[in-house]
Amino acid sequence: MSSDATPDPYDHPVAFGQRMKILRESRGMSREVLAGLLGKTPDWVRDVERGKVRPPGIDVALRIAQALRVRDLANLTGHPDVKISLFQGPGHPRLAAVRAAVDALPIGTPTAAPPRAEHLQARLAAAWAARHSAPDHRERIGALLPDLIRDAQLAVQVAEAPAEWRAAQAVLAEVYSLSQFFLAYQPDPSLLWRVAERSMVAAQQSADPHTIGVSAWLLAQAHRDTGPDHYDAADAITQQALDYLIPLLPDSNDPVLAIAGALTFEAGYTAARRGATSTAWRYWETAQSMAEQLPAAYYHPVTSFSQAIMGAHAVTVAVELHSGRESVRQAARADADTIPSRPRRARHRIEQARGYQLDGQPEAAIATLDQAYEAAPETIRYNGYARAIILEETESKVTAHRRRASELAVKVGLLAA
């Protein structure tokens, strides 16, 4: 090995800062660029790399891993026995069947009778209801998706009249949208991308504003969650969808207003990821005013956009801006019990836990993750941030904290009983 070759981070046990430097330099990234992505100074990056300051906490470590495009936190921390895949969870038992349905080519003469559009819509409504109400929501929709995908594809294939074909495309786009909720955090990102792009194509073919808005909302999320290099793409998709929908709002129904509101918040979410504080909160305020135009009991079945969700969205903005104190303040104001969807309520609890962790309240973070587990075990089991917080606290020096985190780790499946 030449003397100037990039060293393997696992050749020798090295400190966090040394690993960060190795990974940064292997990607050709300067300290200035990394500092900008993290909202820190180049001197801070240098001091971490040289071990002059304590290694950062879990939230900052996750941000560093994202900026360096590290897919597994162990590559940065130097603890290969503690495996944390940042963006993917363990593969669900239903994943193979869903993948097979997506990959199947609906070509040739259909051998089955085409499903009626109203029958497909009823099955979709039942699937969405199961997703929101079942603690094992991923299992429930994973069992329904293969047949739904095949039948929706068949409906498009056999449609003859233009109106019938567009209606079938709208159903297919919605089936793909439901699929994305199952595929999130699964160890097959290429499958998620295929489904997101197919949903957008089918939505455009449908010419239905609500369907187009939903598919754009999910495609923007896929870009945003891929990392900083895709933030511009996420913003472009969000803005194009809003430019299309906003002129339609005066004559639109509640679902179209809700998807426009959800897209508006998405723009704020991405701004928060960028560290653009004023822009993020401005979008949140606009989305809040749109939510207030909806009936108090209205709840969008795909995006969860509603009056009830805006408090949870405020927590998310504060957490993504890495403001621990503001995160806790917003968490105290938000009422999780008003969120009717179990997985969305669990996701809100995870965001609250991130806020408590940022604010130096690990005990509150674990207690809140316990609440997330009670709401929807499959949500916390596949969430990288939740797993990271739990595993960090299993090494706490405080016995009570360590015991409670370990008990939760066993329930989630991170540690053996």
Side-chain angles (χ1 to χ4, degrees), residues 297-333:
Y298 180 84
Y299 195 83
H300 191 263
V302 181
T303 67
S304 296
F305 191 79
S306 57
Q307 293 183 30
I309 207 65
M310 293 311 299
H313 281 341
V315 175
T316 295
V317 170
V319 167
E320 293 297 341
L321 290 169
H322 308 287
S323 174
R325 181 170 298 180
E326 181 64 16
S327 300
V328 171
R329 190 177 77 86
Q330 292 293 346
R333 296 176 59 187

Side-chain angles (χ1 to χ4, degrees), residues 25-323:
E25 291 180 343
S26 71
R27 284 150 182 77
M29 184 183 293
S30 68
R31 283 185 181 133
E32 289 75 13
V33 169
L34 179 58
L37 291 172
L38 298 173
K40 301 286 188 179
T41 66
D43 287 345
W44 181 88
V45 173
R46 181 199 59 206
D47 289 343
V48 171
E49 291 182 347
R50 294 180 179 178
K52 291 186 176 181
V53 296
R54 293 183 61 185
I58 188 64
D59 198 81
V60 176
L62 286 166
R63 290 166 59 196
I64 294 169
Q66 288 178 321
L68 295 175
R69 307 302 298 276
V70 176
R71 303 301 295 184
D72 193 313
L73 196 60
N75 294 339
L76 181 62
T77 63
H79 296 288
D81 55 323
V82 180
K83 303 290 287 183
I84 304 174
S85 180
L86 299 181
F87 309 108
Q88 301 171 9
H92 193 278
R94 300 279 185 182
L95 177 59
V98 173
R99 182 192 296 115
V102 172
D103 289 345
L105 291 175
I107 57 178
T109 303
T111 57
R116 299 195 310 275
E118 58 269 24
H119 180 58
L120 279 173
Q121 287 287 4
R123 288 163 60 189
L124 261 174
W128 284 118
R131 181 188 178 271
H132 288 302
S133 62
D136 58 340
H137 54 92
R138 209 175 287 261
E139 168 65 23
R140 295 285 296 276
I141 64 173
L144 298 172
L145 276 172
D147 286 341
L148 267 173
I149 292 169
R150 284 189 284 267
D151 286 349
Q153 290 174 336
L154 178 61
V156 171
Q157 189 180 6
V158 303
E160 296 178 352
E164 181 187 4
W165 183 78
R166 287 193 297 271
Q169 291 283 10
V171 171
L172 180 60
E174 188 175 344
V175 170
Y176 282 140
S177 294
L178 178 64
S179 301
Q180 289 175 73
F181 283 91
F182 174 84
L183 293 171
Y185 304 110
Q186 294 294 297
D188 195 341
S190 64
L191 182 61
L192 176 63
W193 277 109
R194 287 202 301 282
V195 167
E197 290 166 354
R198 288 185 190 181
S199 177
M200 193 72 250
V201 170
Q204 289 172 314
Q205 300 284 5
S206 77
D208 178 69
H210 177 258
T211 304
I212 291 170
V214 168
S215 295
W217 179 77
L218 284 161
L219 185 58
Q221 286 193 348
H223 278 282
R224 186 197 66 224
D225 291 345
T226 300
D229 288 348
H230 288 249
Y231 288 172
D232 287 347
D235 283 336
I237 292 165
T238 302
Q239 192 57 56
Q240 289 171 37
L242 285 171
D243 289 345
Y244 166 66
L245 290 171
I246 295 299
L248 305 178
L249 293 185
D251 300 315
S252 293
N253 55 18
D254 289 339
V256 175
L257 173 58
I259 192 56
L263 283 159
T264 300
F265 173 71
E266 280 305 306
Y269 195 150
T270 306
R273 282 275 177 95
R274 293 181 186 275
T277 302
S278 60
T279 301
W281 285 115
R282 184 172 67 251
Y283 276 119
W284 180 88
E285 290 169 358
T286 303
Q288 167 83 345
S289 68
M290 297 170 81
E292 290 171 351
Q293 298 175 47
L294 294 166
Y298 180 84
Y299 195 83
H300 191 263
V302 181
T303 67
S304 296
F305 191 79
S306 57
Q307 293 183 30
I309 207 65
M310 293 311 299
H313 281 341
V315 175
T316 295
V317 170
V319 167
E320 293 297 341
L321 290 169
H322 308 287
S323 174

Side-chain angles (χ1 to χ4, degrees), residues 389-400:
I389 292 171
I390 294 167
L391 284 173
E392 179 174 315
E393 292 310 311
T394 61
E395 299 180 354
S396 172
K397 294 181 179 179
V398 180
T399 302

